[in-house]
Amino acid sequence: MSRIYDCADETARKDGIADAASAVRRGDLVVLPTDTVYGIGTDAFSPKAVANLLETKGRGRDMPPPVLVGSIRAATALIDDLGNHGRDLMEEFWPGPLTLVCTATPSLSWDLGDTKGTVAVRMPMDPVALELLKETGPMAVSSANKSGQPAAATAGEAIEQLGDEDVAVYLDGGESESPVASTIVDLTYAVPRVLRSGAISIERLRAVCGTVIGELRKGRTKPRKAEDEDTEAAGGPGTEDAAQAGAVESEAAESAAAESGDVKTGDAGTDATGPGTAEADRAGTEPEAAGPEGTDRSKS
C-alpha cells in the first residue's frame, strides 16, 4: 500500500522526503513533483529498480528514463563530455525545464536501458524534488503515467494511473504550475540540436549558444503542454525518456547544414524527462553515494 504525504504541511513534507529517500535506497519506486509534470523515480544505479520502473510504466529498454540530479556538480559526474556549450546551458537554465543529452561517463556502473553510451540529465526547479535528490543522489525519473497516457499534473492523477501497489511513496506537492514538457537538447554533436521543443524556446537557447539546430519533425510546430512528458518530438509516444534511447543518426548531417532554423521535414525521443536519445521523431522528466555531491557508488 502506498504512503502519501501532503508536502504543503511542513512536518508531512519532512517525513515524506525521509520516507521517499529510504524507499529509493531500497530500490522502490516513488512519485515526486517536478517543475513540469509529476515523475516516477528510483535509484539510477540499481538495474533491478530501473527495470521495475520501466515495467510499471509499460515500456521496454529501448526507452530508457532520464536522470534527475540535485546539483550541477552531480550532473557533471555523470557526463563524459559537455561539449562547447553544456556548462553555459546549465548555468543559464538550471534548475529548470531543460534536459541535456550528453555522452555518459564510461565507468558508471548502471543499466538504464539501451542508451548507446549517452545520458539525458536535468536539474528540476522544484523544492521537494531537489530536497529528495540531495538525499538520494541521481534518480532515474520518468513521467508518472502509464506509457501513452496523459502526463500527471497532480499526485491524484498519478495515483489514478499507477495505483498503490507498485509505488511505495507519493509526495504530493500540489498541482504542477507549468505542465509544459522540458526542452531536450542533444550536445553529442558539435552544434547543439533540439530533440524536443518545450518550456525553453530555441531563441533563448541561441542567446546562450549562438547556433542551435531546430527540432526535426513533421507538422507540429508548437511546444507540448499538458501532454505526456514521454511523448517524442515528432508526435508519437515516448519522450523525455525517448531522448535516451541512443544517438541521433543520419539526420545529424542534414541538421548541421541547417545551422539556424527549424528543419520542418525529416524522420529523425519525458521528465525526464533520458540517457540516450532515441531518434527524437521516431516512436513516439526531475546517487551521489558519497554524500549529496559524491559519486563513489556511480563508478565501477
Side-chain angles (χ1 to χ4, degrees), residues 4-76:
I4 304 170
Y5 295 89
D6 180 3
C7 294
D9 179 88
E10 185 175 351
T11 299
R13 171 172 164 164
K14 181 178 179 181
D15 292 344
I17 288 173
D19 191 3
S22 295
V24 169
R25 295 187 192 103
R26 293 193 302 269
D28 293 337
L29 302 178
V30 302
V31 165
L32 64 153
T34 77
D35 49 347
T36 56
V37 296
Y38 273 73
I40 179 172
T42 192
D43 182 358
F45 296 100
S46 169
K48 182 178 180 181
V50 173
N52 187 29
L53 185 157
L54 294 174
E55 182 179 0
T56 298
K57 277 188 61 74
R59 61 179 37 188
R61 288 176 53 83
D62 59 326
M63 300 290 279
V67 175
L68 296 190
V69 295
S71 68
I72 289 178
R73 181 179 173 185
T76 56

Side-chain angles (χ1 to χ4, degrees), residues 24-291:
V24 169
R25 295 187 192 103
R26 293 193 302 269
D28 293 337
L29 302 178
V30 302
V31 165
L32 64 153
T34 77
D35 49 347
T36 56
V37 296
Y38 273 73
I40 179 172
T42 192
D43 182 358
F45 296 100
S46 169
K48 182 178 180 181
V50 173
N52 187 29
L53 185 157
L54 294 174
E55 182 179 0
T56 298
K57 277 188 61 74
R59 61 179 37 188
R61 288 176 53 83
D62 59 326
M63 300 290 279
V67 175
L68 296 190
V69 295
S71 68
I72 289 178
R73 181 179 173 185
T76 56
L78 307 177
I79 295 170
D80 185 54
D81 183 9
L82 277 171
N84 296 325
H85 305 290
R87 174 67 67 170
D88 291 338
L89 288 169
M90 287 179 177
E91 291 178 353
E92 179 69 20
F93 298 114
W94 281 13
L98 178 66
T99 299
L100 298 176
V101 177
C102 306
T103 303
T105 300
S107 59
L108 291 174
S109 56
W110 61 6
D111 183 4
L112 296 168
D114 299 331
T115 65
K116 299 183 181 178
T118 59
V119 59
V121 186
R122 186 164 87 85
M123 182 180 176
M125 187 183 290
D126 182 274
V128 174
L130 289 175
E131 282 186 53
L132 178 60
L133 289 162
K134 287 177 180 178
E135 290 292 325
T136 64
M139 289 178 60
V141 180
S142 179
S143 55
N145 59 286
K146 290 292 186 179
S147 185
Q149 297 300 310
T154 67
E157 291 176 3
I159 293 170
E160 287 179 8
Q161 293 197 51
L162 301 174
D164 60 5
E165 295 297 328
D166 296 322
V167 177
V169 174
Y170 283 89
L171 296 177
D172 186 349
E175 185 172 1
S176 298
E177 293 185 4
S178 179
V180 179
S182 68
T183 298
I184 301 175
V185 176
D186 185 358
L187 298 180
T188 62
Y189 294 93
V191 177
R193 169 181 170 182
V194 175
L195 295 183
R196 184 186 67 199
S197 299
I200 306 296
S201 69
I202 194 168
E203 289 77 19
R204 294 178 66 192
L205 296 172
R206 286 172 178 161
V208 175
C209 302
T211 300
V212 177
I213 305 303
E215 177 187 348
L216 291 182
R217 57 189 172 179
K218 291 180 180 178
R220 189 193 287 247
T221 59
K222 294 182 180 179
R224 286 172 169 65
K225 298 203 176 178
E227 297 185 11
D228 187 349
E229 180 86 343
D230 296 324
T231 300
E232 289 182 291
T239 68
E240 194 142 326
D241 314 53
Q244 288 235 185
V248 177
E249 298 168 352
S250 60
E251 295 86 355
E254 177 184 346
S255 297
E259 287 195 357
S260 61
D262 289 351
V263 179
K264 301 300 181 186
T265 60
D267 298 317
T270 176
D271 325 292
T273 354
T277 85
E279 303 168 336
D281 306 277
R282 189 161 59 196
T285 317
E286 164 202 357
E288 309 144 84

